[in-house]
Amino acid sequence: MRSCGGTTDAELPLMCLGVPGRVVSVDGDLAQVDFWGVTKPIRLDVVDAPVAPGDYVLNHVGFAIRRIPAEDIEATLALYDELLAKSAPDDLMAADVRNELDAAGKP
Amino acid sequence: MSELAQLRFRDPARAQSLTATLADRARALGRAEPVSVMHVCGSHEQAIAKFGLRAGFPPELDVIMGPGCPVCVTDVPEVDEAVALAKQGVRVATYGDMLRVPGTSLSLADAHGAGARVEVVYGVAQAVELARTTTDEIVFFASGFETTAVATAAVLLAKPPPNFSILSAHKYIPPVMEIVAEMPGTKIEGFLAAGHAATITGWGVFERFVERHRIPVVVAGFEPLDILAGLVRLVELIGEDTPRVENAFPRCVSREGNLEAQAVLWRVFEPQGGRWRGIAHVPNGNLRLRDEFAQWDARRRFDIDLAPLWDHAPAALVAQCQCGDIMAGIASPHDCGLFGRECTPDNPVGACMVSAEGTCKIWHQYGGHPDLRQIRRRA
């Protein structure tokens, strides 16, 4: 069960947390949401912002609890990169990985 | 967000680098003994075990799972109530994880085996649908923390049918963090808070805790990078003089949280003191239905007769179960003589081996030794 909101792969691998769903259609308080290829009905009673087809939502036990703005995803990744950038310059392993990231041109 | 964007939160190169950063920060604390931090969510433990993150944690850092499994902390008398209702002929619907959680003498699975009608549902909305298709009394045995309680609250506000009711075992996480922080024997110096719950409550809910206990809190998501980044910040904050709350899950969590969901939650539920299995009495730790919703409260709707349950003797091994100490962070599954021997997912002695969010079940699922450092130390 996803009481706290996590993955229970054995039962419902596609409903796991951290895999937000993409809204396919909205009918009143009910949305059809695509989770990596599986469409599930998700209630919109308590979501924090109006959602429309194409939006991503965080699901918990069949209820959308957050509309995830695309810019926030970028902000999170930027936060991680900031942590990486702050790594001690004499940390050879971190430096190695930073170089690899740069070389691979990863965003 | 595309699937690709999602996978970036599992990027191995970033994960490796954050792991190195974590080791660097932990070493910088300059402690003789490892620093202990606690997360309070089964989903964090799932991700840590599944992605093998512990193998990369530095020896200077112990990451412990606390009371983060709502099924596990559902107290024995609460399970007894559900079992008694089922034996009285009421149809009990609940999450699959709840079936085998032991009561005083019986679990819901035992009751089902003896002929009681017990239904597994994906969520509370499905239980309401079930009630609409029948005139039978349907009781939804509701467990879960505030995130899940919001869903229960939402269906009650949407006026479910009169043959539907709720047996609430919902719990509220912030108060139990206070209990664990004050427990003698705990050396927790920082908390990794669950991003999902904080999506609802907002990270601001932890400010008072930090002020009172002088322990930093970092809200983290559930992807490997989310957890590693959260731990890096937590260890950094431990090294600072002024503890504070930080949000390492900004794509889902804000300071104030989901206000609409909070309004729904607190309109339907009120906090009440109650026991958490194996842990303690937790002031304001249980969520009880407000009087206004009494007609849907199974405790007020039915005369629940617990006496028949006392005819059976509890399982003899239960006395040896270490669940409580494990959830309080003062023991690990390896300290329990039953773990992986008498107690397995197929034949669980305690609730921690039942639930997909229980520490013992997760450790067992991932080979019993998700902490490879322990093998290294023993070798």
Side-chain angles (χ1 to χ4, degrees):
Chain A
M1 104 185 235
R2 279 138 299 280
S3 312
C4 162
T7 115
T8 47
D9 299 50
E11 311 157 34
L12 283 161
L14 295 162
M15 301 298 281
C16 80
L17 185 123
V19 183
R22 188 178 49 84
V23 176
V24 178
S25 62
V26 176
D27 179 13
D29 259 352
L30 195 71
Q32 297 299 323
V33 179
D34 175 65
F35 294 90
W36 290 33
V38 173
T39 302
K40 297 255 175 199
I42 299 293
R43 297 274 297 260
L44 300 176
D45 310 38
V46 297
V47 71
D48 60 332
V51 304
D55 285 342
Y56 280 84
V57 291
L58 188 63
N59 158 58
H60 185 72
V61 291
F63 285 74
I65 60 168
R66 163 90 175 166
R67 182 178 66 90
I68 309 174
E71 61 268 25
D72 284 6
I73 295 164
E74 294 309 319
T76 306
L77 283 166
L79 179 91
Y80 298 164
D81 286 334
E82 193 184 316
L83 286 177
L84 298 182
K86 279 198 313 186
S87 293
D90 57 348
D91 183 332
L92 291 177
M93 191 170 168
D96 242 21
V97 174
R98 273 201 307 275
N99 292 340
E100 272 176 39
L101 276 173
D102 289 344
K106 291 207 182 185
Chain B
M1 172 170 31
S2 66
E3 294 178 18
L4 213 61
Q6 191 57 38
L7 285 174
R8 282 156 68 194
F9 288 101
R10 298 180 180 180
D11 175 26
R14 276 195 179 89
Q16 204 181 2
S17 184
L18 279 172
T19 300
T21 307
L22 182 60
D24 177 56
R25 298 294 187 275
R27 224 169 287 133
L29 291 176
R31 303 287 186 80
E33 291 287 313
V35 170
S36 296
V37 299
M38 177 176 275
H39 69 76
V40 279
C41 182
S43 305
H44 274 151
E45 190 62 29
Q46 279 272 2
I48 288 169
K50 177 176 168 183
F51 294 101
L53 300 186
R54 257 205 195 82
F57 290 168
E60 293 85 359
L61 180 69
D62 276 337
V63 180
I64 297 164
M65 173 167 168
C69 166
V71 173
C72 308
V73 296
T74 300
D75 203 12
V76 173
E78 292 171 320
V79 175
D80 285 351
E81 286 174 310
V83 169
L85 280 169
K87 287 175 78 75
Q88 282 169 236
V90 175
R91 289 171 73 180
V92 175
T94 192
Y95 298 103
D97 269 16
M98 296 296 284
L99 285 192
R100 298 173 70 189
V101 176
T104 299
S105 57
L106 297 177
S107 66
L108 276 173
D110 296 330
H112 182 248
R117 289 199 285 176
V118 179
E119 326 269 347
V120 172
V121 289
Y122 167 63
V124 63
Q126 198 188 340
V128 172
E129 290 312 310
L130 179 66
R132 287 192 207 287
T133 62
T134 175
T135 53
D136 295 342
E137 286 284 343
I138 303 288
V139 170
F140 181 66
F141 186 25
S143 78
F145 297 130
E146 47 271 30
T147 337
T148 313
V150 166
T152 305
V155 305
L156 289 191
L157 288 178
K159 299 256 179 292
N163 59 328
F164 177 81
S165 56
I166 296 284
L167 178 66
S168 172
H170 282 307
K171 313 250 182 259
Y172 187 48
I173 274 276
V176 83
M177 287 170 59
E178 313 250 353
I179 296 288
V180 172
E182 286 167 12
M183 243 176 209
T186 44
K187 294 178 287 185
I188 306 301
E189 293 188 54
F191 277 96
L192 201 68
H196 228 45
T199 302
I200 303 284
T201 61
W203 57 262
V205 77
F206 301 113
E207 284 177 327
R208 225 172 49 138
F209 170 85
V210 169
E211 217 167 276
R212 197 177 298 167
H213 297 279
R214 313 289 300 162
I215 295 175
V217 174
V218 173
V219 175
F222 302 93
E223 289 292 337
L225 294 193
D226 291 326
I227 293 172
L228 290 169
L231 287 172
V232 168
R233 282 306 296 146
L234 189 56
V235 172
E236 286 178 352
L237 289 175
I238 289 171
E240 289 173 12
D241 292 335
T242 316
R244 58 198 170 92
V245 187
E246 207 165 279
N247 179 16
F249 194 33
R251 66 187 184 279
C252 288
V253 177
S254 62
R255 182 170 191 278
E256 69 279 5
N258 181 336
L259 293 173
E260 187 175 342
Q262 286 171 37
V264 166
L265 176 66
W266 297 121
R267 206 178 136 206
V268 172
F269 288 102
E270 58 190 345
Q272 185 189 39
R275 277 200 62 82
W276 288 38
R277 183 192 295 241
I279 307 250
H281 177 91
V282 180
N284 295 322
N286 284 5
L287 295 173
R288 173 196 150 93
L289 289 175
R290 290 185 186 274
D291 290 343
E292 194 189 334
F293 298 91
Q295 71 173 111
W296 290 295
D297 186 345
R299 290 196 177 93
R300 290 180 250 196
R301 189 181 180 92
F302 299 100
D303 192 12
I304 304 179
D305 184 9
L306 296 173
L309 298 176
W310 300 334
D311 295 342
H312 304 265
L317 289 173
V318 168
Q320 296 175 49
C321 175
Q322 305 261 324
C323 257
D325 283 352
I326 290 168
M327 288 189 289
I330 50 185
S332 99
H334 290 147
D335 297 323
C336 178
L338 305 176
F339 178 74
R341 296 183 183 93
E342 291 89 347
C343 183
T344 61
D346 288 337
N347 196 14
V349 175
C352 293
M353 189 59 96
V354 173
S355 170
E357 294 190 277
T359 315
C360 298
K361 171 82 179 282
I362 296 169
W363 282 41
H364 196 273
Q365 182 182 357
Y366 291 98
H369 286 276
D371 191 350
L372 297 175
R373 298 173 309 167
Q374 291 195 349
I375 297 171
R376 212 159 60 206
R377 278 175 204 160
R378 281 170 192 181

